[in-house]
Amino acid sequence: YNNTHYRNESSEQESANTMAPLDLVPYQIDYSSKNVGKTVANTKKAVEFKFGFANNDAVAHGQKGVECRGVEHKVVLKWSLTSGKTVVECDMKEIHFGLSGNKVRGMRQ
């Protein structure tokens, strides 16, 4: 992620035109873990994370809570305990696919 958001920091020692990069402020929205196998539910797992980064302009203007919600994302991790396939999706786009020769068996839920 290329951080292009800047804030104007002015003080008696610095010029009002000095620009400093803002740190991204993450926040969690939701998390879930499910058994999603078609035939046998517990043979395939899916974990979903929803998170965001605060709107820096809203924070700088003293707003709080939902008023500061900014860019939000959803990451989904899926894996099959029988085939060893793994998939990672970010914002509904597949960003990783893996196939392991080592099948995982007898894993506790």
Side-chain angles (χ1 to χ4, degrees):
Y1 181 81
N2 183 2
N3 186 352
T4 57
H5 300 281
Y6 291 88
R7 70 173 166 237
N8 191 348
E9 288 188 358
S10 61
S11 69
E12 293 178 12
Q13 294 92 15
E14 295 180 347
S15 163
N17 294 326
T18 301
M19 301 298 276
L22 273 180
D23 293 326
L24 295 175
V25 179
Y27 57 90
Q28 180 179 339
I29 300 170
D30 193 24
Y31 160 84
S32 67
S33 176
K34 302 174 190 171
N35 293 322
V36 294
K38 289 181 184 175
T39 306
V40 179
N42 65 355
T43 61
K44 189 173 186 180
K45 308 287 184 181
V47 178
E48 183 177 290
F49 301 92
K50 291 181 184 176
F51 64 96
F53 296 100
N55 177 328
N56 291 326
D57 290 335
V59 173
H61 287 93
Q63 295 179 340
K64 297 184 188 260
V66 295
E67 297 169 335
C68 295
R69 287 178 82 156
V71 178
E72 297 181 352
H73 301 282
K74 178 168 85 171
V75 174
V76 180
L77 314 172
K78 296 179 187 174
W79 68 97
S80 169
L81 300 177
T82 55
S83 72
K85 290 180 185 177
T86 59
V87 176
V88 179
E89 297 173 353
C90 182
D91 297 331
M92 297 175 31
K93 293 180 186 175
E94 187 175 287
I95 60 171
H96 169 78
F97 175 82
L99 182 57
S100 171
N102 300 327
K103 297 179 183 176
V104 179
R105 298 202 184 267
M107 191 172 188
R108 288 176 41 179
Q109 294 182 19

